[in-house]
């Protein structure tokens, strides 16, 4: 099928997609999803079911995603960072550190949902899609067919799912955000967006975040509201509270709410309340806490233990392949693969404040393997000089005294221990920029704090400039940002 679609012209592909969606007698019928159990990266004894749709079904899912995503983005919470345009794990880590260090919320509830993607309730999901403003019944019919597509197990058995979305489908991350968007807004309604009787002055920071500090201060002093904030990345989320009693009550309330509203179960073993002034909390591969320094609290973060051990094992295995390269790759390609792995790890884990100390341990283990395995009878394959470094390599690793070269390929071997901490930055609130044909639509997100659950009277204004149209929405005089 891949060879066939590769030989088709763009017009033929479009016509085929239209035929699969509208041209058949019984409507769209996706082909069976191939189920493949893959080992979990940090626990090889356990497996994760991966659903692989055929190429035409993936193409149709991508078309649906491009239509639904701009509509859903306008209604998603600003505290959700996973699988969204212009959002990343860096923004989620920055939000966590802001809540812990600046707002001084030191009680963190670590939640773990049991088999989230396998337990999504189909009926509830369809109702949530309708509530987001997607009322095209033909599109909803196609989504129902995607959710109920038969699954072919590895032994050839066919089953029809009653719940869940396949991990591996292009549209699955968007559907996951739709499911948990209701949780985001419910948590925000408990404190951030809770209606107030009095009006308070709200300032906006440079990155577009509203500052409600005065109103929050009055609420702490005069009400019994539970202060809580949520940071979510896909199905992994943390809730931050100021008091231990509030955290314990919030843990019970959220667990009950997920069970009653979304039909999801929480793992009691992994769900707990952590005091980050004493213990680390794990989130997105980092372990984070606050520690006193010069009379104030500062962030102290490491690479999470299981992540560091897993990455160390990966680099050691790749270092062994440099000494004994696979036939289909060769020495040159194996060195490039090792360097790409090191660069990728540095790019992600450089957000940890003590990333250099963590990766020095990794570098020592890896260099021990390289030194022993690349040792020759006359001289070692490791050299201090080789080809001229590129501009990127000079900026990133040129000053490191641990940089070595492979004599056979003359390629540099990047030092795993040479990495500098990068301060994670919050994202600005301009959420989506999409281009359709000759028009540029800039969609701004709505900041509504007191009328979140009310219908929004939105008006649109269109500005034409050299063939471009900029659609800007307004609500009660505020620019939707």
């Amino acid at each position: 099928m891949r060879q066939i679609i590769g030989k088709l012209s763009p017009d033929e592909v479009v016509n085929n997609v239209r035929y699969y969606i509208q041209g058949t007698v019984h409507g769209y019928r996706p082909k069976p999803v191939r189920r493949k159990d893959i080992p979990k990266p940090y626990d090889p004894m356990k497996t994760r079911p991966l659903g692989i749709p055929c190429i035409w079904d993936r193409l149709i899912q991508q078309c649906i995603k491009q239509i639904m995503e701009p509509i859903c983005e306008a209604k998603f919470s600003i505290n959700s960072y996973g699988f969204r345009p212009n959002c990343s794990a860096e923004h989620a880590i920055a939000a966590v550190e802001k809540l812990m260090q600046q707002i001084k919320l030191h009680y963190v509830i670590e939640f773990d949902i049991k088999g989230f993607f396998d337990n999504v309730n189909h009926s509830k999901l369809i109702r949530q899609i309708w509530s987001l403003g997607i009322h095209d019944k033909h599109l909803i019919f196609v989504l129902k067919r995607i959710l109920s597509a038969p699954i072919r197990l590895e032994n050839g058995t066919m089953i029809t799912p009653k719940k869940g979305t396949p991990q591996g489908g292009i549209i699955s991350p968007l559907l996951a955000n739709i499911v948990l968007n209701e949780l985001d807004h419910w948590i925000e309604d408990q404190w951030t967006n809770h209606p107030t009787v009095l009006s308070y002055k709200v300032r906006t920071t440079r990155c577009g975040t509203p500052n409600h500090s005065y109103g929050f201060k009055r609420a702490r002093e005069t009400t019994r509201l539970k202060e809580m904030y949520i940071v979510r990345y896909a199905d992994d989320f943390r809730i931050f509270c100021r008091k231990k009693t509030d955290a314990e009550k919030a843990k019970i309330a959220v667990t009950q709410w997920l069970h009653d509203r979304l039909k999801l179960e929480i793992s009691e073993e992994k769900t707990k309340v952590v005091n980050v002034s004493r213990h680390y909390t794990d989130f997105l591969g980092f372990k984070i806490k606050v520690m006193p320094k010069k009379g104030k609290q500062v962030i102290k973060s490491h690479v999470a233990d299981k992540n560091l051990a897993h990455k160390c094992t990966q680099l050691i295995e790749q270092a062994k392949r440099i000494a004994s390269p696979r036939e289909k790759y060769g020495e040159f390609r194996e060195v490039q693969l090792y360097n790409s792995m090191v660069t990728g790890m540095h790019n992600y884990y450089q957000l940890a404040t003590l990333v250099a100390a963590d990766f020095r341990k990794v570098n020592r283990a890896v260099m021990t393997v390289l030194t022993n395995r690349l040792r020759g009878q006359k001289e070692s394959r490791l050299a201090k000089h080789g080809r001229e470094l590129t501009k990127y390599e000079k900026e990133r690793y040129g000053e490191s005294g641990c940089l070595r070269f492979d004599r056979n390929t003359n390629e540099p071997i990047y030092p795993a221990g040479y990495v500098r901490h990068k301060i994670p930055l919050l994202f600005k609130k301009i959420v989506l920029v999409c281009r359709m044909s000759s028009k540029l639509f800039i969609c701004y997100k709505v900041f509504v704090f007191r009328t979140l659950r009310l219908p929004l009277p939105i008006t649109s204004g269109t500005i034409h400039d050299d063939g471009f149209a900029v659609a800007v929405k307004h609500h009660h005089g505020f620019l939707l940002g």
Side-chain angles (χ1 to χ4, degrees), residues 234-259:
D235 63 325
D236 192 7
F237 64 96
R238 301 290 182 267
I239 294 179
F240 296 80
C241 300
R242 191 172 299 276
K243 301 176 183 178
K244 184 178 180 180
T245 55
D246 292 350
E248 292 173 345
K249 293 177 181 178
K251 176 177 174 290
I252 298 172
V254 172
T255 301
Q256 188 67 33
W257 189 91
L258 287 172
H259 178 269

PDB file of all heavy atoms in Angstrom, residues 234-259:
ATOM      1  N   ALA A 234       0.054  15.896  28.416  1.00  0.00           N
ATOM      2  CA  ALA A 234      -0.705  14.714  27.975  1.00  0.00           C
ATOM      3  C   ALA A 234      -1.434  14.111  29.179  1.00  0.00           C
ATOM      4  O   ALA A 234      -2.182  14.810  29.858  1.00  0.00           O
ATOM      5  CB  ALA A 234       0.210  13.713  27.270  1.00  0.00           C
ATOM      6  N   ASP A 235      -1.196  12.829  29.485  1.00  0.00           N
ATOM      7  CA  ASP A 235      -1.892  12.198  30.616  1.00  0.00           C
ATOM      8  C   ASP A 235      -1.083  12.259  31.898  1.00  0.00           C
ATOM      9  O   ASP A 235      -1.492  11.693  32.911  1.00  0.00           O
ATOM     10  CB  ASP A 235      -2.212  10.740  30.286  1.00  0.00           C
ATOM     11  CG  ASP A 235      -0.957   9.910  30.062  1.00  0.00           C
ATOM     12  OD1 ASP A 235       0.031  10.459  29.523  1.00  0.00           O
ATOM     13  OD2 ASP A 235      -0.956   8.721  30.412  1.00  0.00           O
ATOM     14  N   ASP A 236       0.053  12.945  31.881  1.00  0.00           N
ATOM     15  CA  ASP A 236       0.906  13.087  33.068  1.00  0.00           C
ATOM     16  C   ASP A 236       0.699  14.486  33.645  1.00  0.00           C
ATOM     17  O   ASP A 236       1.020  15.482  32.988  1.00  0.00           O
ATOM     18  CB  ASP A 236       2.367  12.870  32.678  1.00  0.00           C
ATOM     19  CG  ASP A 236       3.274  12.704  33.886  1.00  0.00           C
ATOM     20  OD1 ASP A 236       2.749  12.621  35.013  1.00  0.00           O
ATOM     21  OD2 ASP A 236       4.507  12.656  33.706  1.00  0.00           O
ATOM     22  N   PHE A 237       0.151  14.585  34.858  1.00  0.00           N
ATOM     23  CA  PHE A 237      -0.127  15.904  35.411  1.00  0.00           C
ATOM     24  C   PHE A 237       0.203  15.944  36.899  1.00  0.00           C
ATOM     25  O   PHE A 237       0.232  14.920  37.586  1.00  0.00           O
ATOM     26  CB  PHE A 237      -1.596  16.305  35.175  1.00  0.00           C
ATOM     27  CG  PHE A 237      -2.610  15.438  35.866  1.00  0.00           C
ATOM     28  CD1 PHE A 237      -3.144  15.810  37.092  1.00  0.00           C
ATOM     29  CD2 PHE A 237      -3.046  14.263  35.292  1.00  0.00           C
ATOM     30  CE1 PHE A 237      -4.094  15.032  37.729  1.00  0.00           C
ATOM     31  CE2 PHE A 237      -3.998  13.476  35.915  1.00  0.00           C
ATOM     32  CZ  PHE A 237      -4.524  13.854  37.135  1.00  0.00           C
ATOM     33  N   ARG A 238       0.477  17.161  37.361  1.00  0.00           N
ATOM     34  CA  ARG A 238       0.773  17.434  38.766  1.00  0.00           C
ATOM     35  C   ARG A 238      -0.111  18.575  39.240  1.00  0.00           C
ATOM     36  O   ARG A 238      -0.373  19.526  38.501  1.00  0.00           O
ATOM     37  CB  ARG A 238       2.256  17.819  38.962  1.00  0.00           C
ATOM     38  CG  ARG A 238       3.249  16.752  38.512  1.00  0.00           C
ATOM     39  CD  ARG A 238       3.215  15.556  39.435  1.00  0.00           C
ATOM     40  NE  ARG A 238       4.195  14.551  39.038  1.00  0.00           N
ATOM     41  CZ  ARG A 238       3.938  13.533  38.238  1.00  0.00           C
ATOM     42  NH1 ARG A 238       2.722  13.391  37.732  1.00  0.00           N
ATOM     43  NH2 ARG A 238       4.881  12.657  37.955  1.00  0.00           N
ATOM     44  N   ILE A 239      -0.563  18.481  40.497  1.00  0.00           N
ATOM     45  CA  ILE A 239      -1.360  19.540  41.118  1.00  0.00           C
ATOM     46  C   ILE A 239      -0.577  20.089  42.302  1.00  0.00           C
ATOM     47  O   ILE A 239      -0.061  19.320  43.125  1.00  0.00           O
ATOM     48  CB  ILE A 239      -2.733  19.008  41.564  1.00  0.00           C
ATOM     49  CG1 ILE A 239      -3.550  18.601  40.330  1.00  0.00           C
ATOM     50  CG2 ILE A 239      -3.487  20.054  42.370  1.00  0.00           C
ATOM     51  CD1 ILE A 239      -4.909  18.047  40.649  1.00  0.00           C
ATOM     52  N   PHE A 240      -0.483  21.412  42.393  1.00  0.00           N
ATOM     53  CA  PHE A 240       0.331  22.094  43.393  1.00  0.00           C
ATOM     54  C   PHE A 240      -0.573  22.791  44.404  1.00  0.00           C
ATOM     55  O   PHE A 240      -1.503  23.516  44.029  1.00  0.00           O
ATOM     56  CB  PHE A 240       1.258  23.112  42.724  1.00  0.00           C
ATOM     57  CG  PHE A 240       2.265  22.491  41.795  1.00  0.00           C
ATOM     58  CD1 PHE A 240       1.904  22.108  40.511  1.00  0.00           C
ATOM     59  CD2 PHE A 240       3.565  22.270  42.205  1.00  0.00           C
ATOM     60  CE1 PHE A 240       2.821  21.530  39.653  1.00  0.00           C
ATOM     61  CE2 PHE A 240       4.488  21.685  41.367  1.00  0.00           C
ATOM     62  CZ  PHE A 240       4.115  21.315  40.087  1.00  0.00           C
ATOM     63  N   CYS A 241      -0.283  22.591  45.685  1.00  0.00           N
ATOM     64  CA  CYS A 241      -1.061  23.195  46.771  1.00  0.00           C
ATOM     65  C   CYS A 241      -0.109  23.861  47.765  1.00  0.00           C
ATOM     66  O   CYS A 241       1.081  23.532  47.830  1.00  0.00           O
ATOM     67  CB  CYS A 241      -1.915  22.151  47.489  1.00  0.00           C
ATOM     68  SG  CYS A 241      -3.113  21.321  46.423  1.00  0.00           S
ATOM     69  N   ARG A 242      -0.679  24.777  48.573  1.00  0.00           N
ATOM     70  CA  ARG A 242       0.140  25.488  49.553  1.00  0.00           C
ATOM     71  C   ARG A 242       0.187  24.757  50.884  1.00  0.00           C
ATOM     72  O   ARG A 242       1.191  24.829  51.600  1.00  0.00           O
ATOM     73  CB  ARG A 242      -0.407  26.901  49.752  1.00  0.00           C
ATOM     74  CG  ARG A 242       0.510  27.827  50.543  1.00  0.00           C
ATOM     75  CD  ARG A 242      -0.028  29.245  50.505  1.00  0.00           C
ATOM     76  NE  ARG A 242      -0.082  29.753  49.152  1.00  0.00           N
ATOM     77  CZ  ARG A 242       0.953  30.309  48.522  1.00  0.00           C
ATOM     78  NH1 ARG A 242       2.131  30.406  49.131  1.00  0.00           N
ATOM     79  NH2 ARG A 242       0.821  30.761  47.288  1.00  0.00           N
ATOM     80  N   LYS A 243      -0.875  24.030  51.232  1.00  0.00           N
ATOM     81  CA  LYS A 243      -0.939  23.337  52.515  1.00  0.00           C
ATOM     82  C   LYS A 243      -1.063  21.829  52.291  1.00  0.00           C
ATOM     83  O   LYS A 243      -1.648  21.379  51.302  1.00  0.00           O
ATOM     84  CB  LYS A 243      -2.139  23.830  53.332  1.00  0.00           C
ATOM     85  CG  LYS A 243      -2.128  25.319  53.617  1.00  0.00           C
ATOM     86  CD  LYS A 243      -3.399  25.728  54.342  1.00  0.00           C
ATOM     87  CE  LYS A 243      -3.451  27.226  54.586  1.00  0.00           C
ATOM     88  NZ  LYS A 243      -4.715  27.625  55.265  1.00  0.00           N
ATOM     89  N   LYS A 244      -0.555  21.065  53.248  1.00  0.00           N
ATOM     90  CA  LYS A 244      -0.644  19.611  53.150  1.00  0.00           C
ATOM     91  C   LYS A 244      -2.083  19.137  53.242  1.00  0.00           C
ATOM     92  O   LYS A 244      -2.496  18.222  52.508  1.00  0.00           O
ATOM     93  CB  LYS A 244       0.197  18.959  54.253  1.00  0.00           C
ATOM     94  CG  LYS A 244       0.236  17.445  54.165  1.00  0.00           C
ATOM     95  CD  LYS A 244       1.109  16.843  55.246  1.00  0.00           C
ATOM     96  CE  LYS A 244       1.135  15.322  55.125  1.00  0.00           C
ATOM     97  NZ  LYS A 244       1.996  14.699  56.171  1.00  0.00           N
ATOM     98  N   THR A 245      -2.870  19.761  54.117  1.00  0.00           N
ATOM     99  CA  THR A 245      -4.277  19.362  54.240  1.00  0.00           C
ATOM    100  C   THR A 245      -5.040  19.624  52.947  1.00  0.00           C
ATOM    101  O   THR A 245      -5.878  18.806  52.531  1.00  0.00           O
ATOM    102  CB  THR A 245      -4.933  20.121  55.401  1.00  0.00           C
ATOM    103  OG1 THR A 245      -4.748  21.544  55.210  1.00  0.00           O
ATOM    104  CG2 THR A 245      -4.316  19.711  56.732  1.00  0.00           C
ATOM    105  N   ASP A 246      -4.743  20.753  52.289  1.00  0.00           N
ATOM    106  CA  ASP A 246      -5.391  21.038  51.003  1.00  0.00           C
ATOM    107  C   ASP A 246      -4.997  20.007  49.957  1.00  0.00           C
ATOM    108  O   ASP A 246      -5.822  19.578  49.144  1.00  0.00           O
ATOM    109  CB  ASP A 246      -5.016  22.435  50.524  1.00  0.00           C
ATOM    110  CG  ASP A 246      -5.616  23.524  51.392  1.00  0.00           C
ATOM    111  OD1 ASP A 246      -6.473  23.203  52.237  1.00  0.00           O
ATOM    112  OD2 ASP A 246      -5.211  24.695  51.234  1.00  0.00           O
ATOM    113  N   ALA A 247      -3.719  19.607  49.962  1.00  0.00           N
ATOM    114  CA  ALA A 247      -3.246  18.623  48.987  1.00  0.00           C
ATOM    115  C   ALA A 247      -3.924  17.275  49.192  1.00  0.00           C
ATOM    116  O   ALA A 247      -4.320  16.606  48.224  1.00  0.00           O
ATOM    117  CB  ALA A 247      -1.727  18.487  49.078  1.00  0.00           C
ATOM    118  N   GLU A 248      -4.067  16.856  50.443  1.00  0.00           N
ATOM    119  CA  GLU A 248      -4.700  15.564  50.714  1.00  0.00           C
ATOM    120  C   GLU A 248      -6.176  15.575  50.314  1.00  0.00           C
ATOM    121  O   GLU A 248      -6.691  14.595  49.767  1.00  0.00           O
ATOM    122  CB  GLU A 248      -4.549  15.223  52.195  1.00  0.00           C
ATOM    123  CG  GLU A 248      -3.103  14.934  52.596  1.00  0.00           C
ATOM    124  CD  GLU A 248      -2.937  14.760  54.093  1.00  0.00           C
ATOM    125  OE1 GLU A 248      -3.877  15.148  54.833  1.00  0.00           O
ATOM    126  OE2 GLU A 248      -1.887  14.255  54.522  1.00  0.00           O
ATOM    127  N   LYS A 249      -6.869  16.689  50.575  1.00  0.00           N
ATOM    128  CA  LYS A 249      -8.267  16.792  50.173  1.00  0.00           C
ATOM    129  C   LYS A 249      -8.389  16.857  48.644  1.00  0.00           C
ATOM    130  O   LYS A 249      -9.315  16.260  48.070  1.00  0.00           O
ATOM    131  CB  LYS A 249      -8.904  18.029  50.810  1.00  0.00           C
ATOM    132  CG  LYS A 249      -9.043  17.947  52.319  1.00  0.00           C
ATOM    133  CD  LYS A 249      -9.616  19.230  52.897  1.00  0.00           C
ATOM    134  CE  LYS A 249      -9.723  19.150  54.420  1.00  0.00           C
ATOM    135  NZ  LYS A 249     -10.237  20.415  55.011  1.00  0.00           N
ATOM    136  N   ALA A 250      -7.477  17.575  48.011  1.00  0.00           N
ATOM    137  CA  ALA A 250      -7.517  17.680  46.553  1.00  0.00           C
ATOM    138  C   ALA A 250      -7.246  16.321  45.901  1.00  0.00           C
ATOM    139  O   ALA A 250      -7.859  15.984  44.876  1.00  0.00           O
ATOM    140  CB  ALA A 250      -6.486  18.705  46.068  1.00  0.00           C
ATOM    141  N   LYS A 251      -6.364  15.543  46.470  1.00  0.00           N
ATOM    142  CA  LYS A 251      -6.079  14.205  45.946  1.00  0.00           C
ATOM    143  C   LYS A 251      -7.336  13.337  45.951  1.00  0.00           C
ATOM    144  O   LYS A 251      -7.647  12.662  44.957  1.00  0.00           O
ATOM    145  CB  LYS A 251      -4.980  13.551  46.778  1.00  0.00           C
ATOM    146  CG  LYS A 251      -4.646  12.112  46.417  1.00  0.00           C
ATOM    147  CD  LYS A 251      -3.503  11.608  47.265  1.00  0.00           C
ATOM    148  CE  LYS A 251      -3.241  10.125  47.031  1.00  0.00           C
ATOM    149  NZ  LYS A 251      -4.311   9.279  47.559  1.00  0.00           N
ATOM    150  N   ILE A 252      -8.072  13.364  47.042  1.00  0.00           N
ATOM    151  CA  ILE A 252      -9.312  12.572  47.134  1.00  0.00           C
ATOM    152  C   ILE A 252     -10.357  13.095  46.151  1.00  0.00           C
ATOM    153  O   ILE A 252     -11.026  12.321  45.447  1.00  0.00           O
ATOM    154  CB  ILE A 252      -9.845  12.602  48.578  1.00  0.00           C
ATOM    155  CG1 ILE A 252      -8.834  11.962  49.537  1.00  0.00           C
ATOM    156  CG2 ILE A 252     -11.190  11.904  48.667  1.00  0.00           C
ATOM    157  CD1 ILE A 252      -9.200  12.113  51.002  1.00  0.00           C
ATOM    158  N   ALA A 253     -10.501  14.422  46.085  1.00  0.00           N
ATOM    159  CA  ALA A 253     -11.525  15.020  45.221  1.00  0.00           C
ATOM    160  C   ALA A 253     -11.245  14.747  43.747  1.00  0.00           C
ATOM    161  O   ALA A 253     -12.158  14.394  42.984  1.00  0.00           O
ATOM    162  CB  ALA A 253     -11.597  16.528  45.479  1.00  0.00           C
ATOM    163  N   VAL A 254      -9.983  14.904  43.317  1.00  0.00           N
ATOM    164  CA  VAL A 254      -9.633  14.683  41.908  1.00  0.00           C
ATOM    165  C   VAL A 254      -9.796  13.209  41.544  1.00  0.00           C
ATOM    166  O   VAL A 254     -10.287  12.872  40.451  1.00  0.00           O
ATOM    167  CB  VAL A 254      -8.207  15.167  41.628  1.00  0.00           C
ATOM    168  CG1 VAL A 254      -7.762  14.780  40.224  1.00  0.00           C
ATOM    169  CG2 VAL A 254      -8.114  16.681  41.799  1.00  0.00           C
ATOM    170  N   THR A 255      -9.385  12.320  42.437  1.00  0.00           N
ATOM    171  CA  THR A 255      -9.557  10.887  42.177  1.00  0.00           C
ATOM    172  C   THR A 255     -11.024  10.537  41.987  1.00  0.00           C
ATOM    173  O   THR A 255     -11.385   9.800  41.050  1.00  0.00           O
ATOM    174  CB  THR A 255      -8.965  10.070  43.345  1.00  0.00           C
ATOM    175  OG1 THR A 255      -7.570  10.387  43.497  1.00  0.00           O
ATOM    176  CG2 THR A 255      -9.116   8.581  43.100  1.00  0.00           C
ATOM    177  N   GLN A 256     -11.877  11.072  42.844  1.00  0.00           N
ATOM    178  CA  GLN A 256     -13.312  10.808  42.732  1.00  0.00           C
ATOM    179  C   GLN A 256     -13.891  11.436  41.475  1.00  0.00           C
ATOM    180  O   GLN A 256     -14.743  10.832  40.790  1.00  0.00           O
ATOM    181  CB  GLN A 256     -14.032  11.337  43.974  1.00  0.00           C
ATOM    182  CG  GLN A 256     -15.506  10.955  44.072  1.00  0.00           C
ATOM    183  CD  GLN A 256     -15.692   9.466  44.272  1.00  0.00           C
ATOM    184  OE1 GLN A 256     -14.867   8.822  44.912  1.00  0.00           O
ATOM    185  NE2 GLN A 256     -16.768   8.922  43.723  1.00  0.00           N
ATOM    186  N   TRP A 257     -13.446  12.635  41.139  1.00  0.00           N
ATOM    187  CA  TRP A 257     -13.945  13.324  39.954  1.00  0.00           C
ATOM    188  C   TRP A 257     -13.576  12.561  38.680  1.00  0.00           C
ATOM    189  O   TRP A 257     -14.406  12.412  37.770  1.00  0.00           O
ATOM    190  CB  TRP A 257     -13.375  14.741  39.909  1.00  0.00           C
ATOM    191  CG  TRP A 257     -13.982  15.613  38.859  1.00  0.00           C
ATOM    192  CD1 TRP A 257     -15.058  16.436  38.988  1.00  0.00           C
ATOM    193  CD2 TRP A 257     -13.548  15.746  37.497  1.00  0.00           C
ATOM    194  NE1 TRP A 257     -15.316  17.083  37.804  1.00  0.00           N
ATOM    195  CE2 TRP A 257     -14.402  16.674  36.884  1.00  0.00           C
ATOM    196  CE3 TRP A 257     -12.516  15.179  36.763  1.00  0.00           C
ATOM    197  CZ2 TRP A 257     -14.260  17.036  35.549  1.00  0.00           C
ATOM    198  CZ3 TRP A 257     -12.373  15.533  35.428  1.00  0.00           C
ATOM    199  CH2 TRP A 257     -13.240  16.453  34.832  1.00  0.00           C
ATOM    200  N   LEU A 258     -12.337  12.078  38.590  1.00  0.00           N
ATOM    201  CA  LEU A 258     -11.921  11.310  37.418  1.00  0.00           C
ATOM    202  C   LEU A 258     -12.742  10.029  37.275  1.00  0.00           C
ATOM    203  O   LEU A 258     -13.086   9.622  36.165  1.00  0.00           O
ATOM    204  CB  LEU A 258     -10.434  10.975  37.513  1.00  0.00           C
ATOM    205  CG  LEU A 258      -9.448  12.128  37.290  1.00  0.00           C
ATOM    206  CD1 LEU A 258      -8.034  11.691  37.608  1.00  0.00           C
ATOM    207  CD2 LEU A 258      -9.524  12.627  35.854  1.00  0.00           C
ATOM    208  N   HIS A 259     -13.060   9.418  38.397  1.00  0.00           N
ATOM    209  CA  HIS A 259     -13.846   8.184  38.351  1.00  0.00           C
ATOM    210  C   HIS A 259     -15.283   8.449  37.934  1.00  0.00           C
ATOM    211  O   HIS A 259     -15.854   7.718  37.112  1.00  0.00           O
ATOM    212  CB  HIS A 259     -13.805   7.494  39.719  1.00  0.00           C
ATOM    213  CG  HIS A 259     -14.615   6.244  39.777  1.00  0.00           C
ATOM    214  ND1 HIS A 259     -15.949   6.235  40.165  1.00  0.00           N
ATOM    215  CD2 HIS A 259     -14.308   4.954  39.496  1.00  0.00           C
ATOM    216  CE1 HIS A 259     -16.406   4.998  40.120  1.00  0.00           C
ATOM    217  NE2 HIS A 259     -15.442   4.205  39.714  1.00  0.00           N
TER     218      HIS A 259
END
